[in-house]
């Protein structure tokens, strides 16, 4: 365990860099405004546990609603059940391709290397080693998009292995791997690190899938409903400032990041510290990247329409710029 934590600490040095240079706190709103925000209990969203007090000082009441999957948060956002939500990098293209115009992308949240997690005793040194294996996937998830795009760019046939669809949260992936139902899983933190920490899985470093040209390393993004974007613009601006401020604090302190990670997910602090080591807080996604995603997903047959030409109308970085971020 000590060796594992030391290994993660070495990687962490790359991530302990402030994500934004956040400006002064915006003035309080004249009247209280409530923002209903959907989120998931995943490590790269740890800043969300720190923002309620800052928002209160700016006369914004935060109502958090937990979702297991990005896709469920996207559905609620499009239905105007939420003002804002943390969603997958591909969700904007998915929404537009489905005919909805009710999502506006605002900012990315973090990045990390992504490795297939192999079951201990199963050899996965290169992409060729996937042949004949059973791989647990979450179809349509953000990590699945990253994985599928990488396979396409590396000319790895999707039918060279058996894709096992696993529904629900990341714990289901870990259970399947531990039982031996699958040889590998494609999942997200903290469920990537848990098998490694507990000794029944490992990072297949030869199967890294976050660097595809079409998808990249972004772990997620914050979006607003178009209704909230138009009618609660000042409250959205203050949410972005509070989130960017919290992100800066955690990006500058690995200890604070681990503590917030544990608070959000309920993990033991040591596990949260290990799981956080690969994550770099701060968005890396930009307009061109999302356009490439939209075009690639259409080519892959994931979405029926190429909406890359429509993305710019629904991607608004002005809130981040006003917050003082890049």
């Amino acid at each position: 365990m000590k060796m594992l934590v030391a290994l993660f600490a070495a990687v962490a040095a790359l991530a302990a860099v402030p994500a934004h240079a956040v400006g002064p706190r915006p003035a309080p709103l004249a009247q209280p405004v409530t923002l209903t925000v959907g989120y998931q209990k995943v490590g790269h969203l740890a800043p969300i546990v720190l923002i309620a007090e800052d928002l209160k000082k700016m006369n914004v009441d935060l109502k958090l609603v937990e979702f297991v999957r990005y896709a469920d948060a996207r559905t609620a956002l499009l239905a105007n059940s939420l003002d804002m939500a943390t969603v997958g990098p591909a969700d904007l293209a998915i929404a537009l391709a489905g005919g909805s115009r009710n999502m506006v992308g605002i900012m990315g949240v973090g990045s990390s290397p992504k490795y297939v997690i192999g079951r201990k005793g199963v050899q996965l040194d290169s992409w060729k080693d996937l042949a004949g294996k059973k791989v647990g996937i979450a179809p349509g998830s953000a990590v699945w998009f990253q994985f599928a795009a990488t396979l396409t760019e590396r000319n790895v046939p999707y039918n060279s292995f058996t894709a096992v669809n696993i529904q629900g949260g990341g714990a289901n992936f870990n259970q399947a791997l531990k039982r031996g139902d699958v040889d590998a899983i494609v999942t997200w933190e903290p469920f990537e690190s848990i098998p490694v920490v507990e000794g029944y899985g490992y990072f297949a470093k030869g199967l890294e899938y976050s660097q595809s040209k079409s998808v990249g390393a972004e772990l997620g993004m914050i979006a607003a409903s178009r209704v909230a974007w138009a009618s609660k613009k000042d409250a959205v601006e203050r949410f972005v400032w509070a989130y960017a401020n919290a992100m800066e604090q955690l990006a500058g302190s690995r200890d604070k990041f681990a503590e917030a990670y544990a608070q959000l997910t309920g993990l033991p602090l040591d596990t949260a510290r290990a799981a956080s080591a690969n994550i770099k807080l701060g968005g890396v996604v930009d307009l061109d990247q999302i356009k490439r995603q939209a075009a690639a997903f259409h080519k892959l047959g994931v979405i029926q329409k190429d909406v890359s030409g429509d993305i710019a109308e629904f991607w608004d970085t002005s809130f981040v710029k006003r917050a003082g971020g890049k």
Side-chain angles (χ1 to χ4, degrees), residues 46 49 162 167:
V49 304
T162 300
Q167 301 297 324

Side-chain angles (χ1 to χ4, degrees), residues 183-224:
D183 301 303
I185 53 176
V186 174
T187 183
W188 52 91
E189 289 291 8
F191 306 104
E192 293 169 311
S193 290
I194 287 174
V196 180
V197 171
E198 295 186 359
Y200 60 88
Y202 68 98
F203 292 112
K205 294 294 184 72
L207 282 70
E208 207 279 346
Y209 60 91
S210 74
Q211 300 302 317
S212 68
K213 294 178 182 178
S214 57
V215 179
E218 182 66 60
L219 294 172
M221 70 177 184
I222 293 173

Side-chain angles (χ1 to χ4, degrees), residues 127-215:
W127 290 104
K128 291 181 179 179
D129 291 333
L130 277 183
K133 303 296 193 302
K134 291 186 289 186
V135 181
I137 63 163
S141 67
V143 293
W144 179 83
F145 284 124
Q146 289 178 305
F147 179 64
T150 299
L151 293 179
T152 299
E153 291 178 16
R154 290 182 170 272
N155 295 315
V156 179
Y158 198 81
N159 61 3
S160 64
F161 58 90
T162 300
V164 179
N165 294 347
I166 299 178
Q167 301 297 324
N172 296 343
F173 287 76
N174 293 160
Q175 291 167 6
L177 190 71
K178 192 171 186 177
R179 288 194 304 260
D181 296 343
V182 294
D183 301 303
I185 53 176
V186 174
T187 183
W188 52 91
E189 289 291 8
F191 306 104
E192 293 169 311
S193 290
I194 287 174
V196 180
V197 171
E198 295 186 359
Y200 60 88
Y202 68 98
F203 292 112
K205 294 294 184 72
L207 282 70
E208 207 279 346
Y209 60 91
S210 74
Q211 300 302 317
S212 68
K213 294 178 182 178
S214 57
V215 179

Side-chain angles (χ1 to χ4, degrees), residues 12 33 82 107 124 190 224 248 261 270 293:
V33 175
L82 302 171
M107 63 184 291
L124 291 172
E248 182 180 80
Y261 197 135
D270 284 349
Q293 287 182 21

Side-chain angles (χ1 to χ4, degrees), residues 302-316:
V302 175
I303 57 178
Q304 296 181 346
K305 181 182 178 183
D306 183 357
V307 294
S308 56
D310 301 329
I311 295 292
E313 183 182 348
F314 299 90
W315 179 247
D316 185 356

